């Protein structure tokens, strides 16, 4: 399995550090950077020499929004997966995130296992499909 070079956009230091520890323990992930606000994330993601395989984005940030990060990340020509991980993964928010270019949306409170499985599939080169985070009917 290849290591997924991952960039995390999360404003809570506790959640960010726990997420990094969990991902690095459970799947071949290498966290290459983090941001806690939209402008820092947008600046990093907009630089062509900052390559990564996966970006994990929270919706509510210290300043700005994960929705703005999604827009910036999609405008960049880079090939990378965009995942939203939020406590606010309502059906409407999931739809909005997918419209803005998210590949997947996971709820922090009950879909961490889905995120881990998704990351494992990406790392193994499998098609990640539309598993547990598919849009609700």
């Amino acid at each position: 399995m290849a290591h997924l070079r991952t960039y995390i956009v999360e404003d809570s230091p506790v959640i960010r550090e726990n997420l990094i520890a969990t991902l690095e323990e459970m799947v071949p992930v290498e966290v290459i950077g983090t941001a806690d606000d939209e402008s820092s994330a947008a600046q990093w993601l907009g630089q062509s020499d900052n390559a990564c395989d996966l970006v994990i984005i929270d919706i509510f940030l210290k300043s700005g929004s994960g929705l703005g990060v999604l827009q910036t990340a999609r405008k960049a020509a880079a090939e990378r997966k965009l995942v939203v991980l939020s406590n606010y993964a309502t059906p409407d928010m999931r739809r909005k995130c997918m419209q803005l270019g998210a590949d997947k949306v996971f709820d922090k409170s009950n879909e961490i296992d889905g995120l881990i499985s998704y990351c494992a599939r990406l790392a193994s080169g499998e098609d990640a499909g539309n598993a547990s985070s598919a849009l609700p009917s």
Side-chain angles (χ1 to χ4, degrees), residues 15 85-89 94 106-113:
I15 292 173
L85 180 65
S86 177
N87 282 325
Y88 194 68
R94 287 177 189 264
F106 296 98
D107 189 310
K108 282 182 189 175
S109 61
N110 60 17
E111 294 181 327
I112 294 296
D113 289 344

Side-chain angles (χ1 to χ4, degrees), residues 49-106:
D49 56 338
N50 288 337
C52 64
D53 304 307
L54 174 65
V55 183
I56 299 174
I57 306 163
D58 187 15
I59 297 293
F60 296 107
L61 302 171
K62 186 194 268 185
S63 63
S65 165
L67 299 177
V69 175
L70 274 174
Q71 290 175 308
T72 299
R74 266 301 162 229
K75 287 179 188 171
E79 285 288 321
R80 54 185 160 216
K81 295 293 185 183
L82 302 176
V83 170
V84 172
L85 180 65
S86 177
N87 282 325
Y88 194 68
T90 64
D92 286 343
M93 185 56 73
R94 287 177 189 264
R95 270 190 288 281
K96 179 71 172 167
C97 290
M98 299 299 277
Q99 289 168 353
L100 291 173
D103 294 292
K104 293 286 185 181
V105 179
F106 296 98

Side-chain angles (χ1 to χ4, degrees), residues 8 14 19 25 34-35 39-40 50 63 66 77 81 87 93-94 99 104 111 117-118 125 127 133:
I8 297 178
V14 171
L19 179 61
E25 180 181 327
T34 64
S39 63
S40 298
N50 288 337
S63 63
K81 295 293 185 183
N87 282 325
M93 185 56 73
R94 287 177 189 264
Q99 289 168 353
K104 293 286 185 181
E111 294 181 327
S117 296
Y118 178 76
D127 184 300
S133 62

Side-chain angles (χ1 to χ4, degrees), residues 2-68:
H3 273 73
L4 287 176
R5 293 166 301 156
T6 303
Y7 188 77
I8 297 178
V9 184
E10 167 64 59
D11 64 333
S12 166
V14 171
I15 292 173
R16 186 174 53 243
E17 293 309 314
N18 286 334
L19 179 61
I20 291 169
T22 299
L23 289 174
E24 288 181 342
E25 180 181 327
M26 307 277 300
V27 291
V29 164
E30 174 190 358
V31 176
I32 59 170
T34 64
D36 63 2
D37 63 68
E38 181 180 344
S39 63
S40 298
Q43 180 180 13
W44 192 91
L45 292 166
Q47 294 177 4
S48 59
D49 56 338
N50 288 337
C52 64
D53 304 307
L54 174 65
V55 183
I56 299 174
I57 306 163
D58 187 15
I59 297 293
F60 296 107
L61 302 171
K62 186 194 268 185
S63 63
S65 165
L67 299 177

